Amino acid sequence: MKKILSLSYFLLLISYFSFSQTVGIGTANPDSRAILDVRSTSKGILFPQLTTTQRNAISNPPNGMHIFNTDDH
């Protein structure tokens, strides 16, 4: 019986997170129009840091991918 209840609880959690469309970091109420809502008054976002050579080695990068180019700043 405990295994059935544990499995049911696990499936309930999976279904809850599967249907959740918005993730919030630093906020209890993320904007429903955003897939990710990051808020802070004292911190920022740190993007991956690559040289130009490393950046150019990425084959077929997706549109909109962000990196910080350490050669060009």
Side-chain angles (χ1 to χ4, degrees):
M1 185 66 171
K2 278 188 172 183
K3 288 183 181 182
I4 292 173
L5 288 176
S6 295
L7 180 62
S8 298
Y9 181 69
F10 176 74
L11 292 174
L12 180 66
L13 282 176
I14 293 294
S15 65
Y16 172 76
F17 288 112
S18 295
F19 292 107
S20 177
Q21 297 296 316
T22 301
V23 174
I25 298 175
T27 178
N29 300 309
D31 191 312
S32 63
R33 297 166 292 181
I35 223 168
L36 177 63
D37 186 351
V38 181
R39 297 183 195 193
S40 176
T41 59
S42 61
K43 296 181 181 180
I45 295 174
L46 183 61
F47 290 103
Q49 300 174 22
L50 285 77
T51 64
T52 300
T53 303
Q54 291 170 321
R55 181 201 64 195
N56 292 343
I58 299 171
S59 61
N60 197 22
N63 290 337
M65 187 167 111
H66 290 262
I67 61 122
F68 176 81
N69 188 320
T70 57
D71 292 336
D72 294 335
H73 299 281

